[in-house]
Amino acid sequence: MQYHEAKLLATAANRNQWPDSQLPEIIFCGRSNAGKSTLINALVNRKNLAYSGKTPGKTRLLNFFTVDNRVVFTDAPGYGYATSDKASALQFEKLIDPYFRERDVLKGMILVADARRVPNDDDLAMIEYGRSTHQAIIVACTKADKLSHGALVSNMNKIAAVLGVNRKALIPVSALKKQGIEELWTEIDRMIG
Ligand SMILES: Nc1nc2c(ncn2[C@@H]2O[C@H](COP(=O)(O)OP(=O)(O)OP(=O)(O)O)[C@@H](O)[C@H]2O)c(=O)[nH]1
Ligand SMILES: [Mg+2]
């Protein structure tokens, strides 16, 4: 297991609070409870860098982490849990939209999707942000440990079809079993060039 030096750089509620960093940036977005923060922790081999947990809505605001002084990971709050449609729309409008439009160092998005679930309209809206701003897009299918191999393969085919992405853009991961983490790093390295 590789050692990574990682630290919280900033937490931002709005554009003024974005860190003044020149490093290439990768955003982790997806439905609440999909496993974004846990995945960031697995990538840097730390237990509690990003705040994760059983109740959805653990991550509020945008959290920026520098990793190895080489890349910044942005952990986004998840969409689609108990809060109203209005709150969710506001979150897109206030946090996500300006970030995708104006964050010049952004190099790619990792859409984090529970391997057991079919993507919904929010996931499609999210991936559209990546497409409209020409980001490299990878879909990390989390919690792969909860499925048999056959079910995982069939779900991933379905997820790729619903999202309209090439099957090769999907990587099954398990933070629990440390599966897919190196593959994801390979893709991140490719994104940041
Ligand atoms: N079995 C298993 N559980 C996982 C995995 N990844 C995440 N989880 C669990 O899923 C739950 C949610 O994880 P988080 O990382 O907090 O999810 P999140 O997407 O950051 O959620 P929000 O911040 O609320 O949007 C936690 O209980 C994790 O332990 C995985 O690969 N395998
Ligand atoms: Mg989180």
Side-chain angles (χ1 to χ4, degrees):
M1 190 62 62
Q2 221 189 315
Y3 174 78
H4 295 283
E5 185 162 334
K7 65 168 196 284
L8 179 68
L9 186 63
T11 293
N14 58 52
R15 196 186 189 298
N16 296 335
Q17 294 170 343
W18 293 350
D20 184 18
S21 146
Q22 299 305 311
L23 294 172
E25 214 157 279
I26 303 287
I27 186 164
F28 291 71
C29 34
R31 239 186 281 183
S32 194
N33 210 43
K36 299 173 291 297
S37 303
T38 304
L39 183 56
I40 288 176
N41 288 336
L43 281 164
V44 300
N45 200 19
R46 290 264 292 273
K47 277 208 165 69
N48 296 308
L49 180 69
Y51 195 41
S52 67
K54 280 200 176 10
T55 38
K58 279 290 170 197
T59 307
R60 310 291 170 100
L61 314 178
L62 294 176
N63 292 307
F64 298 78
F65 301 96
T66 35
V67 182
D68 302 328
N69 209 20
R70 197 166 73 87
V71 58
V72 171
F73 289 168
T74 307
D75 191 11
Y79 42 80
Y81 96 103
T83 59
S84 63
D85 282 356
K86 204 172 163 192
S88 159
L90 210 63
Q91 181 181 297
F92 271 103
E93 195 184 306
K94 290 260 185 279
L95 284 179
I96 303 293
D97 193 71
Y99 181 87
F100 272 91
R101 283 179 197 282
E102 297 169 44
R103 190 68 174 158
D104 295 336
V105 287
L106 182 62
K107 296 290 179 215
M109 80 183 272
I110 296 178
L111 182 70
V112 180
D114 190 320
R116 298 167 299 174
R117 307 204 193 295
V118 179
N120 65 12
D121 287 348
D122 285 339
D123 294 311
L124 288 169
M126 192 67 249
I127 204 165
E128 194 47 39
Y129 269 106
R131 288 198 180 108
S132 67
T133 55
H134 312 289
Q135 304 301 326
I137 299 171
I138 291 293
V139 182
C141 298
T142 58
K143 314 191 188 185
D145 53 274
K146 292 187 184 257
L147 290 169
S148 69
H149 180 71
L152 180 63
V153 169
S154 118
N155 283 17
M156 285 181 59
N157 286 334
K158 186 152 195 190
I159 291 168
V162 173
L163 292 175
V165 299
N166 192 305
R167 176 66 177 74
K168 288 187 182 134
L170 271 65
I171 301 180
V173 295
S174 164
L176 198 71
K177 302 221 163 131
K178 297 277 184 280
Q179 177 199 335
I181 301 302
E182 269 169 39
E183 289 84 346
L184 193 52
W185 260 121
T186 302
E187 291 305 317
I188 291 169
D189 284 335
R190 205 173 46 76
M191 283 172 166
I192 65 178

